[in-house]
Amino acid sequence: MGPDRLAEIRKDYRQRGLGEADVDADPFRQFRVWFDEAMSAGQPEPNAMTLATASKDGRPSARMVLLKGFDERGFVFYTNYESRKGDELAETPYAALVFFWVELERQVRIEGRVERVSAEESDAYFHSRPEGSQIGAAASHQSQVIASREVIERRAAELTAEYAGREIPRPDFWGGFRVMPDTIEFWQGRPSRLHDRLRYRRTDDGSWTIERLSP
């Protein structure tokens, strides 16, 4: 596909601006405001986010995951610890997250160190999931090559029978990660690609400073 065809889908962002006076001094409170507005706007899966990780030799990879909680400590998602992202986070415990809320012409970019959440947090979330999702997590050796679809379906059926009427234990290889940000950028689309970009940067004393970035 050539540039002329791609130019047909070009969009100029014109909904609103973003000024320093418009945002909260605390980036987590500001994220809550924008997240609530994304939910109210009918954004499909507003908790969907790109998670970017890197191997120890600096080779990046990215995928979509779902935000499952956030507070002043950071942003939480759950996965298989033995997956590619789990391996990369063990090797290089830093990540970047990106939310894109197209209905609001907004992005949020988050970067920071990553740690595992506590076993208690992982247990609580695991047992809040539908039974089928618990079985799926236990059945899958995520990111490993398998011979066919039937392999995973057969394993899921075996576990369903094994735990019929019983609590399904959380596998040791499955749990949560928390991205603990040192920067959070709020991006608002503007006309002629002159976007508003406000970045919160954590300082040495733990407070946050707000900086405007050139588009």
Side-chain angles (χ1 to χ4, degrees):
M1 183 179 294
D4 291 344
R5 182 64 188 278
L6 290 172
E8 295 175 10
I9 60 175
R10 184 181 184 89
K11 179 181 180 181
D12 208 22
Y13 299 123
R14 295 183 175 276
Q15 285 191 23
R16 71 202 79 192
L18 180 66
E20 286 81 348
D22 301 325
V23 297
D24 197 289
D26 183 291
F28 298 105
R29 290 198 298 264
Q30 182 60 37
F31 182 84
R32 165 66 72 181
V33 170
W34 273 27
F35 188 81
D36 288 347
E37 290 177 356
M39 292 183 64
S40 298
Q43 169 76 36
E45 292 197 289
N47 60 329
M49 58 189 184
T50 300
L51 165 68
T53 57
S55 63
K56 60 185 176 182
D57 57 358
R59 189 178 183 90
S61 64
R63 75 290 289 159
M64 300 301 296
V65 298
L66 297 177
L67 177 70
K68 292 300 180 180
F70 68 91
D71 56 24
E72 68 282 353
R73 295 173 297 169
F75 299 81
V76 175
F77 65 93
Y78 290 86
T79 190
N80 187 309
Y81 288 139
E82 298 174 357
S83 64
R84 179 177 177 179
K85 56 185 168 301
D87 287 344
E88 290 182 347
L89 288 170
E91 294 174 349
T92 309
Y94 293 88
L97 304 173
V98 182
F99 295 85
F100 180 45
W101 295 318
V102 63
E103 282 82 359
L104 298 173
E105 302 175 349
R106 287 173 171 171
Q107 295 183 62
V108 180
R109 302 175 60 200
I110 298 164
E111 300 175 21
R113 188 171 179 84
V114 179
E115 67 176 10
R116 291 189 182 189
V117 306
S118 68
E120 291 76 15
E121 288 177 271
S122 290
D123 285 341
Y125 175 68
F126 182 81
H127 290 115
S128 75
R129 306 176 88 206
E131 182 177 295
S133 296
Q134 295 180 42
I135 290 291
S140 175
H141 295 289
Q142 193 176 87
S143 302
Q144 302 302 307
V145 175
I146 57 176
S148 67
R149 171 82 186 180
E150 286 69 28
V151 172
I152 190 68
E153 290 181 341
R154 183 167 59 251
R155 180 56 179 156
E158 291 170 353
L159 290 172
T160 299
E162 179 180 349
Y163 291 109
R166 297 195 291 140
E167 182 176 88
I168 303 165
R170 176 180 63 86
D172 291 339
F173 56 76
W174 192 96
F177 284 106
R178 177 177 288 107
V179 180
M180 303 172 291
D182 47 51
T183 66
I184 304 178
E185 178 187 332
F186 293 84
W187 180 103
Q188 179 69 59
R190 298 297 303 276
S192 302
R193 299 298 189 257
L194 297 177
H195 311 305
D196 285 323
R197 300 176 61 190
L198 296 182
R199 180 179 65 187
Y200 292 73
R201 179 172 52 83
R202 193 186 294 273
T203 62
D204 291 342
D205 65 5
S207 63
W208 293 92
T209 187
I210 300 175
E211 304 164 317
R212 177 170 289 270
L213 304 180
S214 175

